[in-house]
Amino acid sequence: MRNAHGTIYVGIDVSKDKLAVAVAGGERGDEVLSLGTFENTPASVDTLLKKLAGRGDISACYEAGPTGYGLYRQIRAAGCDCCVVAPSLIPIRTGERVKTDRLDALRLARLLRAGELTPVWVPDETHEAMRDLVRARESAAEDQRHKRQLVSAFVLRHGRVYQRSKPWTMRYRRWLQTLAFDHPAHQIALQEMLQAERNASERLERLTKHIEVLVPDWTLAPAVNALQALRGVALISAVTFMAEIGDVRRFETPVKLMAYLGLVPSEYSTGKTTRRGGITRSGNARVRHKLIEGAWTYRLQARPGERKLYILREQSPEVQDIAWKAQSRLTARYRKLSQRGKKSTVVTTAIAREMAAFMWDIARRTMPAH
């Protein structure tokens, strides 16, 4: 390498067992070389870093994936620069039809040197643990919804209709237990589905309680508590927002956060032609879904509920002012958009987009210092 005492750019293609490594020199004309494959173990990574240390300062990268951030933390602990890049934002030539681990590593090293890669935000170990717990609860909630849909479809298929509007109350469960079928196989199938739904509900309740217990000891607990001052934001929504977004200060403006959440309109414009479509739906879908769920509450009049009053009392005057400003503005906007004939889904998406801006404002004011 001609840049022996400068910076070298290392591209790593990571799999469960192997690491394909390539190195690019600091100058644009320097050759990009493949160093082969290495074992995906801490000892092998240490050996690789020591081998590369004599060539210059190391700047490494690899794609975000199921292997997590252990490699990132090990490289950073060794005093080297490292970033985890977003796979969906890696430039790919349309003519490329061959994909191997070696070629992926070469491309990463080349693009890292050119500054064409988009890094993702890497959480610390505690934040990652909270995020995994929140995602485990979300998985449990999805499992519960699926089990309930199976029961509802089963009873409807057999012509049993619950006359009241609200399902899955104790009254509804007692009604399910009174159902009788001619064939014993139907009775067994229903009881098994009900037992599966009970297990899923108990699992969801356990994970929710774990979150409630662990949040007060989290460094982002002040931001989680402050976010609940907003209408449509409860504990789980606030925890999901902070766990998935992390440090909101990395978004310089709320518009960038909206774009990250996929809540901005898509656009294809060229020359004098401007075409705008639905939202991009890119970025973090978990937070986007929570925001859209909370946006439905703004169809009601602007006034704090009884439970919100207790939460507001614990917040600073600054947070209280932002919460009331958000409620008065978004309820008026919901009413205005509805009167213009907009579809309810379009209205709630527009409200969710503005909710993200208010949550960005509150979170950055209440997060701990760097």
Side-chain angles (χ1 to χ4, degrees):
M1 295 280 181
R2 292 184 300 173
N3 194 34
H5 301 289
T7 301
I8 59 172
Y9 298 91
V10 182
I12 307 174
D13 186 82
V14 182
S15 60
K16 182 178 67 174
D17 301 318
K18 298 291 183 179
L19 302 175
V21 183
V23 180
E27 298 297 330
R28 185 178 181 86
D30 285 347
E31 187 178 4
V32 183
L33 301 176
S34 174
L35 298 183
T37 59
F38 298 81
E39 295 291 330
N40 190 359
T41 61
S44 178
V45 173
D46 284 336
T47 302
L48 172 64
L49 294 176
K50 292 176 182 178
K51 178 180 179 181
L52 295 174
R55 302 192 180 193
D57 297 330
I58 298 174
S59 178
C61 73
Y62 67 95
E63 297 181 32
T67 55
Y69 305 113
L71 178 60
Y72 166 87
R73 295 186 179 116
Q74 183 179 359
I75 295 175
R76 293 296 296 266
C80 304
D81 185 33
C82 183
C83 67
V84 183
V85 300
S88 60
L89 299 179
I90 296 177
I92 298 177
R93 297 173 182 172
T94 56
E96 292 182 350
R97 293 293 184 269
V98 179
K99 183 183 185 303
T100 64
D101 293 346
R102 184 182 69 86
L103 292 178
D104 287 345
L106 291 169
R107 183 172 65 251
L108 285 173
R110 189 180 301 110
L111 292 173
L112 178 63
R113 180 176 64 184
E116 296 294 331
L117 297 177
T118 303
V120 301
W121 179 76
V122 178
D124 57 29
E125 289 88 344
T126 302
H127 192 112
E128 186 178 10
M130 286 298 300
R131 189 169 69 180
D132 288 341
L133 180 60
V134 169
R135 291 181 177 181
R137 185 200 173 277
E138 182 187 7
S139 176
E142 183 62 31
D143 184 46
Q144 182 200 53
R145 285 192 292 270
H146 177 63
K147 297 296 190 297
R148 289 183 172 182
Q149 287 172 354
L150 290 177
V151 174
S152 299
F154 179 84
V155 297
L156 181 61
R157 189 167 64 251
H158 289 85
R160 313 301 171 87
V161 179
Y162 185 61
Q163 298 301 329
R164 297 178 180 268
S165 59
K166 190 174 182 180
W168 295 109
T169 60
M170 287 303 299
R171 186 190 298 271
Y172 178 72
R173 293 177 185 277
R174 287 195 296 268
W175 175 78
L176 288 174
Q177 294 297 338
T178 63
L179 298 180
F181 300 90
D182 296 334
H183 200 288
H186 287 155
Q187 200 70 46
I188 293 172
L190 176 60
Q191 295 304 320
E192 287 293 336
M193 285 188 285
L194 289 176
Q195 183 61 43
E197 189 277 332
R198 280 193 292 270
N199 293 338
S201 298
E202 291 173 0
R203 177 188 170 208
L204 177 62
E205 185 178 355
R206 285 195 306 269
L207 289 170
T208 302
K209 289 182 178 178
H210 286 315
I211 291 175
E212 293 173 352
V213 170
L214 293 175
V215 162
D217 297 329
W218 193 20
T219 55
L220 297 182
V224 171
N225 295 332
L227 287 175
Q228 295 179 64
L230 292 169
R231 172 186 278 189
V233 181
L235 174 64
I236 298 303
S237 299
V239 173
T240 302
F241 181 86
M242 296 308 302
E244 295 292 338
I245 301 301
D247 191 350
V248 297
R249 292 167 296 198
R250 61 195 175 103
F251 300 99
E252 299 176 358
T253 64
V255 176
K256 293 185 178 180
L257 175 60
M258 297 173 190
Y260 173 76
L261 297 176
L263 288 170
V264 297
S266 58
E267 181 176 348
Y268 180 80
S269 300
T270 177
K272 297 182 179 180
T273 303
T274 300
R275 297 177 182 175
R276 292 187 176 88
I279 59 174
T280 61
R281 297 179 184 272
S282 61
N284 197 295
R286 293 180 178 87
V287 178
R288 183 171 66 250
H289 294 162
K290 289 296 182 183
L291 288 174
I292 291 177
E293 287 177 4
W296 286 99
T297 62
Y298 288 92
R299 68 188 185 278
L300 306 174
Q301 292 182 355
R303 60 184 180 88
E306 183 178 352
R307 294 182 179 180
K308 285 295 181 184
L309 288 175
Y310 291 101
I311 297 176
L312 287 169
R313 290 174 184 174
E314 300 176 357
Q315 305 304 322
S316 65
E318 186 180 38
V319 172
Q320 293 181 25
D321 291 341
I322 296 174
W324 174 247
K325 179 182 177 181
Q327 188 168 162
S328 58
R329 171 181 170 81
L330 296 183
T331 52
R333 181 159 176 75
Y334 194 105
R335 183 170 57 253
K336 181 178 179 180
L337 291 175
S338 298
Q339 291 173 351
R340 289 170 54 184
K342 297 290 185 180
K343 295 181 180 179
S344 59
T345 53
V346 175
V347 176
T348 52
T349 302
I351 299 301
R353 181 165 54 246
E354 294 199 26
M355 275 184 67
F358 287 107
M359 295 178 76
W360 172 85
D361 192 16
I362 290 178
R364 72 183 182 91
R365 294 173 185 269
T366 54
M367 285 189 64
H370 288 287

